[in-house]
Amino acid sequence: MGSLAPEYDASESEVNVLVTGFGPFGDNRINPSFLIASSLPKSYETPNLPKINIHAHPSAVTVSYRNVRELIPKLLFSKDASKTLSPDIETIYHPTNGMYVATKLSKELSNYDIVLNIGMAPGRHFYAMEICAHRDGYNKKDVDGKTLEADTFWQKEYNAPEMLRPSIDTEDVWRRWKAGLMDEDLRPSNDAGHYLCDFTYYTSMVEYWRRDPKGERPCMFLHVPGGWNEENIERGRGVALELIKALVGSEMAKKRKEGGVDGFADGKL
């Protein structure tokens, strides 16, 4: 990231990043997003950044609204995802979705410092970092043949906003990302597509928003082209890794600006 990276002694700190990719859907029998996520190194070290531990989810995320709404809370805040009641969790059964959802949340911190969801955008030949996600408008059928056309759960139960943006400084991340990949076609985007990519991004952010509407939502979504040969995956791997570096560098700089000694404490952002 060149001059955009602040001076930093990263010897004692680590950052944990969750990365997910999707499985097949429609005519797309191979989804490069999961292949790219799976190809990332388990850890990465580079000057001026703390050690980055990359936790690629071992299974492709099923392109199903119900699956995403059940899986993401388990990944981010594991205690809140259980169907079994415990002293610090209350759940309700939502008949429209056929799911148990936590309504009273534990005070558990997120399992990860940064969350990066990767998805495929068929027909595109560029990479896009999405800067927002949407609550409504999911009228396309998933792999189960279901839509969320009439779903109002987030609106009625959570009073969640129509749009969520990450707490990450997306303009700063964009500059860092582009600085590391000058020859790639990288674009910011404000339309994640109103399908499972958009839905997963919103699901990730709303889990943070529910705990603190004014708090951190350290999430990002990367859209990749549809190619899945070895060259495409290697190229996507480099793009994703550079984005992770940009996210970590930007969050570190933000924490330093807010008054932290080095932006991290006990390995957490």
Side-chain angles (χ1 to χ4, degrees):
M1 292 180 290
S3 62
L4 293 175
E7 293 183 0
Y8 176 68
D9 180 3
S11 60
E12 298 299 326
S13 294
E14 297 183 359
V15 181
N16 291 292
V17 180
L18 172 67
V19 183
T20 68
F22 288 98
F25 64 98
D27 295 330
N28 305 290
R29 306 316 302 165
I30 298 178
N31 195 322
S33 66
F34 179 64
L35 299 179
I36 291 169
S38 301
S39 74
L40 292 169
K42 291 184 178 180
S43 65
Y44 187 82
E45 297 185 58
T46 189
N48 298 316
L49 291 179
K51 179 183 178 182
I52 304 172
N53 297 315
I54 300 174
H55 304 266
H57 187 54
S59 302
V61 176
T62 303
V63 182
S64 156
Y65 297 113
R66 175 171 178 164
N67 175 73
V68 167
R69 197 172 250 170
E70 292 181 343
L71 173 65
I72 294 300
K74 293 180 182 179
L75 295 181
L76 303 187
F77 299 91
S78 54
K79 287 185 179 180
D80 295 334
S82 175
K83 293 183 180 179
T84 303
L85 293 177
S86 64
D88 60 345
I89 302 172
E90 293 178 0
T91 65
I92 61 171
Y93 181 76
H94 191 251
T96 301
N97 303 315
M99 293 180 287
Y100 288 86
V101 182
T103 55
K104 181 181 178 181
L105 305 176
S106 71
K107 295 181 180 180
E108 180 189 19
L109 294 174
S110 173
N111 297 328
Y112 303 98
D113 299 299
I114 293 172
V115 178
L116 174 62
N117 305 123
I118 305 177
M120 173 183 65
R124 285 188 185 176
H125 301 287
F126 59 89
Y127 298 88
M129 55 171 280
E130 302 294 344
I131 62 175
C132 63
H134 305 88
R135 183 191 66 196
D136 308 319
Y138 297 100
N139 304 325
K140 301 175 185 176
K141 291 183 179 179
D142 62 13
V143 296
D144 299 323
K146 305 294 185 181
T147 75
L148 291 182
E149 188 170 2
D151 184 87
T152 58
F153 178 78
W154 279 330
Q155 179 181 3
K156 290 187 175 180
E157 297 296 338
Y158 299 167
N159 195 30
E162 293 184 16
M163 180 184 296
L164 282 172
R165 297 178 182 272
S167 57
I168 292 166
D169 184 342
T170 53
E171 290 188 7
D172 183 58
V173 170
W174 161 252
R175 289 194 297 269
R176 293 169 182 270
W177 189 37
K178 187 64 178 176
L181 294 166
M182 295 299 293
D183 294 331
E184 287 287 0
D185 189 354
L186 312 177
R187 308 181 191 183
S189 166
N190 61 8
D191 184 3
H194 290 278
Y195 192 45
L196 264 297
C197 292
D198 205 340
F199 185 76
T200 301
Y201 195 18
Y202 190 94
T203 303
S204 297
M205 287 195 284
V206 83
E207 288 301 313
Y208 287 94
W209 180 89
R210 292 169 61 198
R211 288 158 179 82
D212 184 356
K214 296 182 179 180
E216 295 293 307
R217 293 186 294 279
C219 305
M220 179 51 61
F221 198 99
L222 170 63
H223 261 130
V224 302
W228 48 267
N229 64 28
E230 184 176 350
E231 181 181 353
N232 296 142
I233 301 308
E234 182 62 25
R235 180 184 174 197
R237 177 182 183 274
V239 169
L241 187 57
E242 199 66 35
L243 179 55
I244 290 171
K245 290 164 57 181
L247 289 164
V248 173
S250 182
E251 285 293 271
M252 183 181 68
K254 182 175 73 173
K255 297 301 180 183
R256 287 170 60 90
K257 187 176 181 180
E258 290 173 353
V261 175
D262 59 13
F264 297 85
D266 298 325
K268 301 289 288 183
L269 281 170

